[in-house]
């Protein structure tokens, strides 16, 4: 990892994060949705983004299945690969924050230590963890992609919730219950939490 990095000296660019945020008239942040496959992370991230976008916020989404076809193509679902998946997403998310953007991420991110790694990388003030809480039974009933059925049959290994663990977030900034509350209610909870956090002081 550190090899060849001995003579790298990062350049200090002329426009700061604060200046970018000032132009955008809002702060930037990582909104990290974590939860089981089928819990509703992507749907929630998508709708939350739509609401923020309509209000004039600059947003972007990084989503598990999409990122795994590009930047993280080639990574699988072993502990090591999942950690590398989340590490890279964390670095990319941090760049988005630096660019003044609100980046919403939808990754299972089952390991508490990986989520903590990103929180530390980004800085806790600019990191909002949203636990998309939905019981395994319901995710499995929904089985939107048919993957739980395959995992039960042993056709997919290391499937989160079946033969790989999901470590429940103990102190997320937000928790939404997608099996109890409507999508609108969940989105509203996230948006209402974010808006005051995104405000920049008037000059
Ligand atoms: S993570 O665990 O590394 O955070 P990530 O969010 O990127 O996972 O990708 C999860 C998506 O990959 C799932 O929504 C599902 O469509 C697909 N997938 C394929 N194999 C697995 C597996 N073994 N466990 C979980 N999801 C899988």
């Amino acid at each position: 990892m550190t090899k060849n990095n001995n003579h790298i000296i990062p350049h200090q660019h002329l426009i700061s994060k604060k200046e970018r945020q000032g132009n955008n008239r809002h702060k930037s942040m990582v909104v990290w949705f974590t939860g089981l496959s089928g819990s509703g992370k992507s749907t929630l991230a998508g709708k939350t983004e739509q609401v923020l976008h309509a209000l004039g916020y600059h947003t972007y989404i990084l989503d598990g299945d999409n990122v795994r076809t590009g930047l993280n193509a080639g990574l699988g679902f072993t502990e090591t690969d999942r950690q590398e998946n989340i590490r890279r997403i964390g670095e990319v998310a941090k760049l988005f924050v630096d660019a003044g953007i609100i980046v919403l991420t939808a990754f299972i991110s089952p390991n508490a230590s990986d989520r903590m790694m990103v929180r530390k990388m980004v800085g806790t003030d600019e990191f909002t963890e949203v636990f998309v809480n939905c019981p395994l039974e319901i995710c499995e009933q929904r089985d939107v992609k048919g993957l739980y059925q395959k995992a039960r049959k042993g056709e997919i290994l290391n499937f989160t919730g079946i033969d790989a663990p999901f470590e429940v977030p103990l102190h997320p900034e937000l928790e939404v219950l997608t099996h109890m509350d409507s999508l609108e209610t969940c989105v509203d909870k996230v948006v209402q939490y974010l808006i005051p956090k995104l405000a920049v002081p008037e000059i």
Side-chain angles (χ1 to χ4, degrees):
M1 262 305 192
T2 51
K3 122 177 114 164
N4 299 330
N5 279 359
N6 296 342
H7 303 109
I8 303 289
I9 297 145
H11 185 83
Q12 192 66 42
H13 284 287
L14 298 176
I15 312 290
S16 69
K17 172 166 69 180
K18 214 164 175 187
E19 287 166 320
R20 293 178 201 280
Q21 293 176 340
N23 257 16
N24 286 348
R25 297 182 195 287
H26 62 75
K27 288 192 179 161
S28 47
M29 165 141 345
V30 178
V31 187
W32 189 275
F33 294 88
T34 174
L36 293 169
S37 181
S39 58
K41 299 180 296 299
S42 301
T43 309
L44 193 53
K47 278 285 171 194
T48 303
E49 178 181 43
Q50 203 176 34
V51 171
L52 291 174
H53 180 82
L55 291 170
Y57 291 92
H58 299 77
T59 58
Y60 197 68
I61 290 195
L62 298 170
D63 185 285
D65 288 277
N66 299 8
V67 171
R68 277 177 174 280
T69 63
L71 174 68
N72 289 351
L75 291 180
F77 290 89
T78 61
E79 288 274 313
T80 318
D81 276 9
R82 285 189 208 245
Q83 186 183 47
E84 178 60 9
N85 182 39
I86 298 307
R87 189 193 69 78
R88 289 185 199 172
I89 302 309
E91 291 289 359
V92 173
K94 189 177 167 178
L95 291 175
F96 272 95
V97 173
D98 199 45
I101 308 288
I102 300 155
V103 57
L104 304 100
T105 68
F107 296 86
I108 298 177
S109 45
N111 298 317
S113 57
D114 295 345
R115 297 190 300 261
M116 183 53 77
M117 166 179 67
V118 181
R119 183 185 285 277
K120 284 189 181 151
M121 205 187 268
V122 173
T124 204
D125 287 353
E126 292 174 329
F127 184 84
T128 295
E129 187 175 7
V130 185
F131 177 24
V132 185
N133 190 354
C134 180
L136 176 66
E137 306 78 69
I138 311 273
C139 294
E140 200 168 349
Q141 265 168 35
R142 292 177 182 165
D143 207 3
V144 194
K145 303 172 196 161
L147 297 179
Y148 281 99
Q149 207 183 6
K150 286 188 180 164
R152 286 287 181 200
K153 285 198 239 160
E155 290 169 19
I156 305 177
L157 297 178
N158 296 327
F159 199 82
T160 311
I162 306 299
D163 60 346
F166 180 82
E167 295 173 357
V168 168
L170 297 180
H171 305 292
E173 276 73 15
L174 284 172
E175 178 174 353
V176 289
L177 306 171
T178 58
H179 60 301
M180 307 259 286
D181 293 327
S182 69
L183 179 59
E184 288 66 30
T185 302
C186 296
V187 170
D188 199 50
K189 186 171 179 181
V190 180
V191 171
Q192 293 312 321
Y193 175 87
L194 289 176
I195 286 179
K197 304 258 174 216
L198 295 170
V200 283
E202 288 296 329
I203 301 159

